[in-house]
Amino acid sequence: MSVQELSVQEPSVQGLSWADAIDRDEPRTRRAWHLVPGLLLVTACAVLVLAVLLTGQRPTQAPVGLPDAGPLAAWTVMLARTMMRLGAVGAVGCLVAAAWLLPQEASRSQALSALHRRLLRAAGRWSLVWAVASVLLMVSGSAQLLGTPLPGALSSSAVWGYVPQLAEGRALMVTAPAVLVITVHAAQLRSRRGMHLLTGVVLLALAPMALTGHAATAGNHYVATQSLVLHVLGVTVWTGGLLALLHLRGATGTTQATALTRFSSLALGCFVVVALSGLVSASTRLGVDVGAWRSTYGALVGAKLVLFVVLGAIGWTHRRHTLPSITAGRRGAFWRLAAGELVIMSAALGLAVALARTAPPVRAGVVAAPHPTLRTIERGLQSPTPDRLLLDSRPDALVMTVLAVVTLSCVVVYGRAARQDGRARAGLLWFLAAVALLLWSLCGGLAAYGSAVLSGHVAQLLVCAVLVPRLLTRAACLLPQVQQPQAPDERAAGRVLTSMDPLSAAVLLSVFLCAVYATPVLELTLRSPAAHLAVDLLGVAVGSVGLLGTTLLAAPDPDRRGRVDLLTGLVLAAFGVGLSATVRPLALDWFAALRWEWSDPVTDQRYAAVALFVLALALVAAGALRRRRVPPG
């Protein structure tokens, strides 16, 4: 049935079809849309209550003799969390829509358009809901733990004094000032730059709450927390953007079409972020343990997964059918589908609140951490074997998300370049090989041993700083835009690149390796996963800069590239000699405290030296072979 036939059969509003009434923003329809926030809150709360009751997590009375705040406090905590998340969704969505979704022409004049002012006022109202819910959550959460009945908690100095002692209370105290800034200043903004700045503030305000809870105490703290932060940001922007589009119902057809098209691209990006971060989060808590998935926590995750698949199907329908209908002038097609999508999103929000109060299951085979400050090593790590190095995984939500976005962007770039030169297809294959190698190094089996043994750390850094840059440079050389010698760039970065030669590239790599292995940076990367990731990515940058300056920005010269490989091999061989001659193993205190049954620091450092020698020999052989192929003269 076509969209026109559907609109004819719909109930009329003052003589118009429902879709036409939405397009013309009739008063009765406008009042109906004002009920949407309340409907979303009711839906989220209903799903929350249903999930709590079905999973047997109904608040109960404390044992006789212990202080008890009563069921009211427990239900208030859940309601406040739901209101807070819904307020955050609305505030973020309205700011994102005002700053990025509306077309540029709407705000070129000094005064903002009526749509901008409407969205900014709505952002202020949503942030007010967020702020009130945060205060309510502070009080009710503290009262629940102290056993103080809720009616008298507001006037209790003990309840307010206990708030800073809770992780969630401290997070709310950090978030509250940012939310108040949005409440006060959102409606006063007069420029797009101000909207961008305030959007950044509201996104940062989401992080503290995401960093508390079960993610903060998960076995892999870093992976669990960063995946949850990305998940919350993706869901909030996605849901909030859709909710903010309701404020555009009276806009012109061109404005609506532009905003909806931009939101479709934004929603696709959020879908990828939510999918990857959710996958990583579930793997850290549930893995592939069937018993863990049968737990209450696993059941709630499964319910969220079902809703996520439904939302993905709706998004596909939007891109495939709804956007063409909007372009053709049938704007009501979007609102019908968006209303159902918002209801499903609010149901997912209610499940998320129920999931936040559910303890993850203890997975079978997980043992205690072998180091008192362990945050970078998997529990129960076994000896490295070829199959474990190739097939095991250590997911990193941030790395996977960034690589997914970069890969999609480069696929588009190489696809366009292939129309000019067929060699760009080969360049895309080289780029995908580089991404796959980097993904294996940072999220695969090798990543699990990067902080457990020195040989794993060295191998991971060699892949990032030596192998991946060579694949990336090979891919870049096959782009038509850079196949010719590049003119010197007057900027500082351009002057550095164009002045690079093989010796400079080797010296740069040598300085980088010294900075990592001859300073306290090594132990910092062992203890901090963020520092470890930063050093690995810096290795990719250092290696790529050296190769770009010597092989890409200069005229193609096989002899020059051969000298780069030769000098790099000599640098790695020198470091291998240094490791072999070191009497005291590097970071001995860290590795000795791990007490692996399958490795000891002295022997493992020799393995690290062997890895350096093997790669050095391969580079020297490749460089000599490349130089031999250069024709004389």
Side-chain angles (χ1 to χ4, degrees):
M1 184 179 292
S2 65
V3 176
Q4 293 92 333
E5 292 172 341
L6 283 173
S7 63
V8 170
Q9 297 180 9
E10 291 167 346
S12 62
V13 179
Q14 296 183 356
L16 299 173
S17 70
W18 182 70
D20 292 335
I22 293 174
D23 288 347
R24 299 191 184 186
D25 202 20
E26 290 295 327
R28 287 177 59 186
T29 308
R30 192 183 310 133
R31 289 193 296 270
W33 282 114
H34 288 165
L35 300 177
V36 169
L39 174 63
L40 298 182
L41 179 61
V42 170
T43 302
C45 291
V47 173
L48 167 64
V49 172
L50 186 62
V52 169
L53 295 179
L54 290 179
T55 56
Q57 300 186 80
R58 182 200 306 253
T60 57
Q61 295 286 342
V64 179
L66 294 179
D68 184 18
L72 178 62
W75 286 111
T76 303
V77 167
M78 290 184 278
L79 175 62
R81 282 185 180 145
T82 306
M83 291 177 57
M84 187 179 66
R85 295 195 180 195
L86 187 60
V89 163
V92 170
C94 289
L95 287 173
V96 168
W100 281 285
L101 299 186
L102 288 183
Q104 295 277 350
E105 293 77 10
S107 61
R108 282 182 176 174
S109 59
Q110 186 173 3
L112 294 180
S113 67
L115 286 176
H116 281 88
R117 292 194 296 271
R118 181 192 296 178
L119 286 169
L120 293 176
R121 287 194 300 269
R125 292 193 295 268
W126 281 113
S127 61
L128 180 60
V129 173
W130 186 358
V132 172
S134 298
V135 175
L136 183 59
L137 181 57
M138 285 185 195
V139 176
S140 57
S142 181
Q144 185 182 23
L145 290 177
L146 288 177
T148 303
L150 197 57
L154 286 174
S155 59
S156 173
S157 58
V159 169
W160 287 103
Y162 193 64
V163 169
Q165 301 182 40
L166 303 174
E168 188 175 59
R170 292 191 295 270
L172 290 170
M173 292 175 66
V174 173
T175 301
V179 178
L180 291 177
V181 168
I182 302 165
T183 304
V184 174
H185 294 286
Q188 302 176 7
L189 293 177
R190 294 295 181 267
S191 66
R192 187 175 290 269
R193 180 176 299 179
M195 289 185 285
H196 290 166
L197 179 61
L198 202 58
T199 304
V201 171
V202 71
L203 290 176
L204 288 176
L206 291 171
M209 284 300 296
L211 294 174
T212 60
H214 291 302
T217 57
N220 195 325
H221 169 87
Y222 173 71
V223 174
T225 52
Q226 61 141 248
S227 61
L228 185 57
V229 169
L230 287 174
H231 195 76
V232 169
L233 289 176
V235 170
T236 303
V237 173
W238 183 10
T239 309
L242 182 62
L243 183 59
L245 291 178
L246 299 181
H247 296 279
L248 308 184
R249 60 193 177 277
T252 62
T254 303
T255 300
Q256 280 193 1
T258 302
L260 294 177
T261 302
R262 291 178 179 179
F263 172 74
S264 179
S265 301
L266 179 65
L268 178 60
C270 291
F271 181 86
V272 173
V273 171
V274 172
L276 292 176
S277 58
L279 175 65
V280 172
S281 180
S283 67
T284 59
R285 295 170 175 83
L286 301 174
V288 294
D289 186 358
V290 177
W293 281 93
R294 289 176 178 173
S295 64
T296 300
Y297 191 91
L300 291 175
V301 171
K304 284 190 65 179
L305 179 61
V306 171
L307 294 182
F308 180 74
V309 172
V310 173
L311 290 174
I314 294 176
W316 179 84
T317 304
H318 275 315
R319 296 182 66 88
R320 187 70 180 270
H321 301 289
T322 309
L323 290 181
S325 298
I326 293 170
T327 305
R330 299 185 294 272
R331 290 176 283 163
F334 173 81
W335 306 115
R336 285 190 294 269
L337 202 57
E341 188 174 3
L342 280 172
V343 170
I344 296 175
M345 286 180 169
S346 62
L349 188 150
L351 283 177
V353 175
L355 190 65
R357 61 176 273 113
T358 306
V362 178
R363 292 164 53 188
V366 176
V367 300
H371 198 282
T373 59
L374 185 65
R375 287 187 177 181
T376 55
I377 305 173
E378 293 289 344
R379 297 176 175 180
L381 190 65
Q382 300 178 3
S383 61
T385 58
D387 59 326
R388 288 181 184 136
L389 288 174
L390 289 175
L391 302 178
D392 283 0
S393 64
R394 188 176 185 268
D396 188 308
L398 180 61
V399 171
M400 294 171 64
T401 301
V402 171
L403 287 182
V405 172
V406 171
T407 301
L408 290 175
S409 303
C410 288
V411 167
V412 174
V413 171
Y414 278 99
R416 293 174 179 173
R419 301 172 186 172
Q420 306 175 20
D421 193 332
R423 287 181 293 178
R425 296 189 182 91
L428 177 59
L429 294 179
W430 284 107
F431 175 79
L432 294 178
V435 170
L437 186 60
L438 184 61
L439 187 64
W440 171 71
S441 175
L442 299 179
C443 303
L446 184 59
Y449 298 90
S451 297
V453 287
L454 181 65
S455 58
H457 192 283
V458 171
Q460 192 177 17
L461 197 61
L462 289 179
V463 170
C464 293
V466 179
L467 299 182
V468 170
R470 277 160 172 74
L471 296 177
L472 290 176
T473 304
R474 186 68 178 269
C477 288
L478 293 174
L479 277 175
Q481 294 89 338
V482 295
Q483 288 174 2
Q484 299 298 324
Q486 302 296 307
D489 197 329
E490 296 299 326
R491 293 171 296 183
R495 289 196 299 270
V496 170
L497 285 176
T498 54
S499 64
M500 294 290 291
D501 56 34
L503 181 59
S504 301
V507 170
L508 183 62
L509 178 62
S510 178
V511 170
F512 172 71
L513 292 176
C514 286
V516 174
Y517 292 107
T519 68
V521 171
L522 172 60
E523 190 151 352
L524 176 63
T525 61
L526 296 173
R527 297 182 180 277
S528 169
H532 199 144
L533 176 61
V535 168
D536 287 336
L537 295 180
L538 182 60
V540 176
V542 167
S544 300
V545 166
L547 291 174
L548 283 173
T550 55
T551 65
L552 183 60
L553 298 180
D557 183 359
D559 181 68
R560 187 183 181 94
R561 299 179 185 180
R563 281 180 286 157
V564 173
D565 289 340
L566 283 173
L567 291 174
T568 302
L570 293 177
V571 168
L572 297 182
F575 269 88
V577 172
L579 281 183
S580 301
T582 302
V583 177
R584 177 182 171 84
L586 301 181
L588 177 60
D589 294 338
W590 170 268
F591 293 118
L594 296 178
R595 298 179 181 177
W596 300 120
E597 296 180 356
W598 41 266
S599 177
D600 66 89
V602 176
T603 304
D604 183 71
Q605 184 156 309
R606 294 174 186 168
Y607 290 152
V610 170
L612 285 165
F613 288 138
V614 170
L615 185 56
L617 181 61
L619 289 174
V620 169
L625 183 61
R626 188 184 296 274
R627 296 194 67 186
R628 182 176 296 181
R629 292 178 179 176
V630 179

